[in-house]
Amino acid sequence: MSLDNKSITARAHTNIALVKYWGKKDEKLIIPNNSSISLTLDEFYTETTVKFDDNLYEDVMYLDNTKIDNMQPISNFMNIVRKLSDTNKFAKINSYNHVPTSAGLASSASGFAALSAAASKAAGLNLNNIELSKLARRGSGSATRSVYGGFSEWKHGTDNDTSYAVSIQDPVKMDINMIAIILNNQPKKISSRKGMKMSVNTSPYYKAWEQQTTRDLKSVKNAIYNNDFTTLGKTAELNSMRMHALTLSSDPSYLYLNKDSLLVIDYVKSLREKGIECYYTMDAGPNVKVICQSKNIEKIKLYLLQSFDEENIKISKPGGSIKYL
Ligand code: DP6
């Protein structure tokens, strides 16, 4: 196909799973064992520009103005785009993360979703949301859900054609916010990719996780439809702890949480005892996300300020879908 080498920019927001994806049945195609549900966040996003260039002999990428040395994951992903669009040109990619990179705040989700949108359009493809979601999935599982705003569900499927995300609700009807407490913005020691593989292969509780996650998914989905904040929060909190129990029960055992994560968990519990309803969820890193309603944001923030700096407390409402800029 002949391309006109247009420069295309797309923005995608991160999402935080309320029912987590933790384990693949196909590592190459990134097909998960379970379906998952997430909320896309307004505050954290990635903006990526892609331009194919006749003079390049390999893909080049800059992330926050720094050249990426290990281009393998990106080049593999761009090969999929090249195959879909029947081109052999390479691209220059410029990406800006408005997310602390690799700290459990899902920068790979917004990153690969933004890259999918920008690269596919720059390659002359005009993908619909389901096709974009499948493409984003090939970069990183959680990116599958970042195509959509609000609540979305990644249906696990069984192969490349049946594993993609759909929108559950956007705009979101529920009054729901997330307060992210940034405890560490250093890249994690054990990537989610490696961690989930260890859990699948060695945790004796993996089977139970699969069964329980299927129940948690139904419960969170119903809570969304019934505007039931309490059930949603309780279930998301439990599901997150169940995921972390898999890391603890793997061989060798590993842990994403640190002492500050445990402190935030204690804070959330004591806030609840005081009648301030809130819940917590954590991903493959120490940062904790507190799930709350608007009326409680300031009270929770005041509480957190006892131990954490204001700049590390980020409040976010639900975010929107992928946009071309
Ligand atoms: C804990 O999507 O980063 O955030 O598919 O291997 O790239 P890969 O993993 P990734 O894992 C996300 C794990 C999680 C839960 C979730 O987002 O559902």
Side-chain angles (χ1 to χ4, degrees):
M1 194 196 273
S2 77
L3 293 178
D4 51 8
N5 295 350
K6 248 199 225 143
S7 170
I8 303 287
T9 303
R11 176 192 297 152
H13 292 257
T14 56
N15 68 79
I16 299 297
L18 301 166
V19 177
K20 313 281 184 198
Y21 142 57
W22 199 248
K24 301 174 177 64
K25 62 171 161 259
D26 184 323
E27 283 174 21
K28 186 163 178 282
L29 291 175
I30 313 197
I31 311 293
N33 287 317
N34 282 92
S35 298
S36 51
I37 290 187
S38 62
L39 177 67
T40 295
L41 296 185
D42 186 50
E43 183 75 10
F44 306 112
Y45 56 90
T46 302
E47 285 175 358
T48 298
T49 303
V50 176
K51 189 177 187 309
F52 285 90
D53 186 330
D54 301 308
N55 300 318
L56 288 176
Y57 54 92
E58 60 184 6
D59 297 314
V60 184
M61 176 167 175
Y62 289 81
L63 177 61
D64 297 327
N65 298 321
T66 304
K67 193 167 185 286
I68 302 274
D69 290 329
N70 174 17
M71 278 297 286
Q72 202 59 53
I74 300 294
S75 300
N76 290 346
F77 181 82
M78 293 301 288
N79 285 341
I80 301 170
V81 177
R82 276 185 278 272
K83 199 166 172 201
L84 280 174
S85 58
D86 198 18
T87 180
N88 51 15
K89 292 187 189 181
F90 294 99
K92 178 158 185 214
I93 305 162
N94 254 311
S95 199
Y96 292 91
N97 253 346
H98 300 259
V99 189
T101 305
S102 285
L105 269 178
S107 58
S108 67
S110 55
F112 275 106
L115 181 60
S116 300
S120 60
K121 212 179 192 70
L125 294 165
N126 202 3
L127 303 183
N128 64 30
N129 283 342
I130 287 181
E131 289 163 336
L132 261 185
S133 174
K134 287 184 203 169
L135 176 60
R137 193 198 76 233
R138 302 293 297 273
S140 182
S142 48
T144 312
R145 300 179 305 240
S146 265
V147 169
Y148 304 97
F151 293 115
S152 63
E153 177 183 359
W154 176 13
K155 294 179 178 293
H156 62 76
T158 50
D159 57 18
N160 189 44
D161 280 344
T162 53
S163 187
Y164 54 83
V166 294
S167 173
I168 301 185
Q169 196 181 73
D170 180 32
V172 164
K173 291 191 186 128
M174 186 181 284
D175 174 5
I176 182 169
N177 302 273
M178 283 203 192
I179 305 178
I181 302 105
I182 314 295
L183 302 172
N184 177 357
N185 60 9
Q186 296 304 306
K188 54 205 170 208
K189 288 198 190 85
I190 298 182
S191 65
S192 27
R193 191 155 297 188
K194 192 168 164 205
M196 64 177 80
K197 189 173 174 180
M198 283 161 72
S199 297
V200 173
N201 291 339
T202 66
S203 172
Y205 306 144
Y206 195 79
K207 195 86 220 151
W209 156 262
E210 283 187 293
Q211 288 161 355
Q212 184 59 42
T213 295
T214 306
R215 290 191 281 269
D216 292 347
L217 190 110
K218 278 196 191 118
S219 159
V220 167
K221 219 164 153 176
N222 281 335
I224 292 169
Y225 293 138
N226 298 329
N227 201 3
D228 178 355
F229 176 78
T230 301
T231 303
L232 181 143
K234 273 188 184 165
T235 315
E237 183 175 300
L238 280 169
N239 184 266
S240 158
M241 285 316 245
R242 287 167 180 148
M243 184 201 107
H244 288 275
L246 289 178
T247 76
L248 286 169
S249 56
S250 293
D251 178 9
S253 172
Y254 60 102
L255 183 59
Y256 289 117
L257 312 182
N258 65 21
K259 62 178 189 346
D260 285 334
S261 324
L262 302 181
L263 181 64
V264 178
I265 292 174
D266 271 349
Y267 275 170
V268 168
K269 288 186 176 164
S270 46
L271 280 160
R272 278 210 296 262
E273 276 161 21
K274 290 183 200 307
I276 299 167
E277 190 178 14
C278 54
Y279 303 91
Y280 57 84
T281 183
M282 295 89 53
D283 294 289
N287 301 327
V288 183
K289 278 74 71 177
V290 177
I291 306 168
C292 65
Q293 292 169 305
S294 307
K295 62 178 182 200
N296 289 325
I297 290 178
E298 286 310 315
K299 291 179 209 152
I300 297 168
K301 193 173 163 190
L302 263 182
Y303 217 82
L304 292 169
L305 281 171
Q306 295 176 83
S307 301
F308 304 103
D309 294 340
E310 179 140 32
E311 74 221 39
N312 291 327
I313 304 173
K314 310 264 188 210
I315 299 158
S316 188
K317 55 184 192 313
S321 57
I322 278 183
K323 298 250 168 340
Y324 290 100
L325 304 176

